[in-house]
Amino acid sequence: MSRSTTRLGLGLGASAFLLTAGLVPAPARAADPTDYTLTVDPAARGATIDDTMYGVFFEDINRAADGGLYAELVQNRSFEYAQDDNRSYTPLTSWTVDGSAQVLGDAGRLNERNRSYLSLGAGSSVTNSGYNTGVRVERGAKYDFSVWARAEGGSTLTVSLEDADGTLATARRVAVRTKGWARYRATFTAARTSSVGRLRVASSGAAALDMVSLFPRDTYRHEPNGLRKDLAEKIAALKPGFVRFPGGCLVNTGSMQDYSEASNWQRARSYQWKDTIGPVEQRATNANFWGYNQSYGLGYYEYFRLAEDVGAMPLPVVPALVTGCGQNRAVVDDALLARHVQDTLDLIEFANGPVTSTWGAKRARMGHPRPFRLTHIEVGNEENLPAEFFARFEEFRAAIEARYPDVTVISNSGPDDSGPTFDAAWQLNRDAGVDMVDEHYYNSPRWFLQNNDRYDSYDRGGPKVFLGEYASQGNAFENGLAEAAYMTGLERNADVVELASYAPLFANEDYVQWRPDLVWFNNHASWNSANYEVQKLFMTNVGDRVVPSTATGTPSLQGPIAGAVGLSTWATGAAYDDVRVTGADGATLLSDDFSGDAAQWTHTGGGSWSLQDGQYVQSDTAAENTMVSAGDPAWHDYDLRVKATKKSGKEGFLIAFGVKDTGTYYWWNLGGWNNTRSAVEQAVDGGKSTLISQAGSVETGRAYDVHVKVRGRQVTLYLDGQEWGGFTDDKLAEPFRQVVTRDEKSGDLIVKVVNAQSSEARTAIDLGRAKVASRARVTTLTAAPDAVNSETATAVAPVTSTFTGVARKFTYTFPANSVTFLRIGRK
C-alpha cells in the first residue's frame, strides 16, 4: 500500500471514516515490512523550545479552590454564604444548630469586609459537615483549629471532631474571656481515619463566632494558610513552566465594582486581586460565576507562592472591563477603567516591587520580602466584543509598558478557534503589534487529529500564541491520544506557540460544572486522568530544540458525507413543517408535511414532540438536544429543505444532516449560544467541533426556509433563499503523528510518536548522521481508547522500558493506541 510522505504532519492523513469504522492499514507485504517511515535530519535546526512552554491553568471551577486545593476543611467558615452565590444557600449552609443560633450582619461584626458572624446561644452548639462526605482526618495526623470569638460574660467553647461511629480526636476546650474579638487556637491529633467527620463547636455561654477553621498541619510546603498536599504535588509533578490564574470566566464576568459600601457590598464581582491578599479574616467574599461561594482564602499571594514552589512563572489574568462567558457587556466608565488599570500596575508592584515600595511592603508583611519575578500578565479572557475589548486592552498595555517595559502584556482572541470574533480580534492584535495572543478552544478528538498543522501557517513575525485553554471534550484515553497528536504540532511550531496549558486543571467529583478536567478528587483521594498522563509525559520531556523530521501518513478512505436528517432544539420550543429531502437527481427521498402522523421520525433525544396544527412541535424549553431523525444513514448527495419556527425559549433551532447515530452528525445551529450566533457543528462520538460560525439571531414566531445542500464533502447552506455560507469537510484525521526534539544538556534525541489507531505501526526510523547510543529509554502510554482512570482503577499509566536496537537506521513497532517517547542518548 503506497504512502504519501509529509513534512512532520504538514500533509493530511487518515479520514474520520478510517478511525470511526475501525479500518486500519493493510498488513505489510514481505517487500514492504513497515507501515510508516520517520526520517530525522539532526544537522538541521528547528525551533527553540522555551522552558516555560507547557504550564497549568488554575481556575476555581468544580470546587477547585475551597474544598479542593485550598486545604481548609470547614465549609462556609465565616457564615458568608448567600443566595447571591447560589439560590439554595443560606448563611448556615453546611452547619446544623443544636439550641439557638443566628447569623447577624450588624455593627458587632469582626470587621467591615467580613460582613456576617454567628451569635451562638448559651448551652448551644453548631456542627460543620465539611465538603463531599464530610471532614477528612487521618489517624495520627495533626489538625489546627482556630476561631475568632467574643463573649460578653465569658464562655468556654468545647470543640470536638466526631463521626457516626464516635469520637475522632480528644475534644479541646477554649476559654473566651474577652468582650472584643480575639483569635483562639487548638490542635487535634486524629485517633482514627474518617472521611465522614464533623466539627462541632459548643458554647457554655452566649458567644459570637467567626472564621471557624480546621487545617491539616501537613499542607504543601507547610504554609499556615496552605494547600492540600496531594493536589499541589500533582501540579508539581508536571514541572510546569507557568501557572495561569485565577481564570477564566471568574475574571470577565459580573460587576467590575469593588467590595465596599459604595457598591453596596457587591457580591457578584469579577475576580479582583486586592480582595484576596492580607489576613484571611479581612479578605472579601464573592459569588463565584460557577454557582457557589469563593472565600478568597486561596488568593493572589498563595497563587504566587504556589508558582514559586513548583518552579513556574506566575501568569495572572486581570479584568479588561468587558464581560464574557455569555454576558457580553462593555463597561463604559472611565474612572472605573482608570482604577482597574492602576490596580494592575499595583499588582506588578506587589509581585516585583522592593520592600520599600507600597505594595512590595505589603508582600513582605505577608512573609515574602523577595520579589516573585512576574514577567507576563494577561488582560481579559475570551471577550466576545473584540473592538470594545481591544480599546480597553490598549489602555492597560500603554500603562504597563510605560512603567514596566519588560513585562509581556497578553491579549486574547475570544472563545473559539475560528469565526468572525476570532478573525476580528486577531486582526486588531496584529495591527497593534501585540506581543502575545491567548487562544482557547474545546473541540472533538477528531478536530485535534485534523488540525495538527494549525500553526504551520501562522506568521512567524506576528504576535506569539499562548494556547491558554484547550481540551478534547473527554477524559478517556482516546482524548489523550488526540491531544498528544496535537501537541506534536505545538512543539514543531514552538517559534509561534510559546505557551500552552490544558484546561481546566481540577474537578471535585461531587461538585462538577465542567468536563473534562485534568485531575479529579474528592475529600480523601485524587487521581490523574488519562489526559494528565499525556500532559505529564510531554511536560517532563520537552527538550530544548526541535529537530526537523518527516513522516509518512496513513492512507485515506474518505467518502462523501452520508447520513440521515434530523430536527432538534436546545432550551427552545420550535415547530417544523414541510420537510423534504431530494437526491442530486431530483428524486424524492423523504417528504413530510405532518398532516398525518410522525411515523417516519425516530425520537433519540429529550424533550416533548407532538403534532400540532400540521406541524411537528417540540415544546419543552428546558430540554437540550431533543433530536428526532428520519431517513437512511447511507444517504449522500442530497438537498434537505424544511420550514422552522422558534416558538419560545432561549435559543433557536437545529437542522441536522449526515446523521449516523446519536453521537455522530452535523447540525446547523441557528440562533445558538443564547440566540447570539449561528454555526454548523460536527459531532463525532458525542464530541463537537464548530466548522463555520456567524453572529446573528432568529426571531420568535417567524417561519424560516432552511435549505442544506450536500454534495460529496461540500455543504452549502441557504436561509430564506439566500446563501448563508458553506464549508468543505475534507480535512483528514491523521492518526500517526510525531515530533523529535533534542535535550541540549544530555544530548538526548527525544523521538515522540503518537499512534491513535487500533493497529500497531511498524516504523522505519532514519536518524541520519546522528551519533547515537544503541540503547533508548522508552516511556509508553497505551490502553483501550475508552479507558478512563478513576479513584479505584488506573487504566492509563506510563510504562518504562529499554530498547537496545537503536542505530542510525532501525525499525520500531509502536503499539496500537499509544504515545511513545524514545530518549536516545549520544554515542
Side-chain angles (χ1 to χ4, degrees), residues 69 218 220-221 228-239 306 310 506 532:
L69 184 62
D218 188 16
Y220 186 70
R221 298 299 173 101
R228 180 170 151 175
K229 193 172 184 179
D230 63 324
L231 297 183
E233 286 176 344
K234 289 186 182 299
I235 299 175
L238 293 170
K239 298 184 179 178
L306 171 63
V310 301
F506 287 126
Y532 176 98

Side-chain angles (χ1 to χ4, degrees), residues 56-75:
V56 296
F57 166 48
F58 181 92
E59 179 176 8
D60 188 0
I61 183 175
N62 308 312
R63 292 275 193 181
D66 295 331
L69 184 62
Y70 186 49
E72 174 66 76
L73 297 174
V74 177
Q75 184 173 180

Side-chain angles (χ1 to χ4, degrees), residues 130-147:
Y131 295 93
N132 299 89
T133 55
V135 175
R136 165 70 175 185
V137 296
E138 296 183 21
R139 181 181 178 182
K142 293 185 180 300
Y143 296 86
D144 293 321
F145 168 83
S146 66
V147 63

Side-chain angles (χ1 to χ4, degrees), residues 349 353-361 363-364:
E349 183 175 287
V355 295
T356 54
S357 65
T358 299
W359 291 99
R363 181 193 69 241

Side-chain angles (χ1 to χ4, degrees), residues 256-269:
M256 300 294 163
Q257 299 291 335
D258 62 1
Y259 190 61
S260 68
E261 186 176 6
S263 70
N264 195 30
W265 306 103
Q266 173 63 249
R267 288 291 289 261
R269 307 182 314 285

Side-chain angles (χ1 to χ4, degrees), residues 69-275:
L69 184 62
Y70 186 49
E72 174 66 76
L73 297 174
V74 177
Q75 184 173 180
N76 190 19
R77 65 182 178 185
S78 60
F79 310 99
E80 296 289 342
Y81 278 26
Q83 288 188 343
D84 287 340
D85 309 324
N86 186 296
R87 289 182 181 179
S88 69
Y89 282 0
T90 74
L92 283 170
T93 292
S94 298
W95 294 94
T96 56
V97 177
D98 183 6
S100 63
Q102 59 179 325
V103 176
L104 302 177
D106 57 25
R109 61 176 61 93
L110 178 60
N111 59 61
E112 188 177 44
R113 290 163 72 81
N114 199 324
R115 305 291 295 168
S116 301
Y117 66 96
L118 182 73
S119 176
L120 186 62
S124 300
S125 67
V126 287
T127 301
N128 190 266
S129 59
Y131 295 93
N132 299 89
T133 55
V135 175
R136 165 70 175 185
V137 296
E138 296 183 21
R139 181 181 178 182
K142 293 185 180 300
Y143 296 86
D144 293 321
F145 168 83
S146 66
V147 63
W148 284 81
R150 60 178 172 81
E152 293 292 331
S155 179
T156 297
L157 302 180
T158 301
V159 188
S160 56
L161 276 169
E162 54 199 34
D163 65 10
D165 293 329
T167 300
L168 291 170
T170 302
R172 296 287 183 258
R173 288 178 173 77
V174 176
V176 181
R177 299 188 178 89
T178 178
K179 296 180 180 180
W181 288 101
R183 191 181 187 195
Y184 299 88
R185 297 176 174 87
T187 298
F188 293 95
T189 300
R192 55 188 175 87
T193 295
S194 177
S195 297
V196 293
R198 299 290 187 267
L199 177 73
R200 182 173 180 267
V201 181
S203 182
S204 63
L209 309 179
D210 207 344
M211 296 295 291
V212 183
S213 174
L214 186 69
F215 259 87
R217 176 75 58 83
D218 188 16
T219 59
Y220 186 70
R221 298 299 173 101
H222 306 286
E223 294 291 330
N225 190 48
L227 306 182
R228 180 170 151 175
K229 193 172 184 179
D230 63 324
L231 297 183
E233 286 176 344
K234 289 186 182 299
I235 299 175
L238 293 170
K239 298 184 179 178
F242 64 87
V243 177
R244 177 178 179 248
F245 61 90
C249 291
L250 303 186
V251 168
N252 68 336
T253 53
S255 169
M256 300 294 163
Q257 299 291 335
D258 62 1
Y259 190 61
S260 68
E261 186 176 6
S263 70
N264 195 30
W265 306 103
Q266 173 63 249
R267 288 291 289 261
R269 307 182 314 285
S270 62
Y271 195 111
Q272 298 175 44
W273 78 273
K274 289 181 179 178
D275 288 340

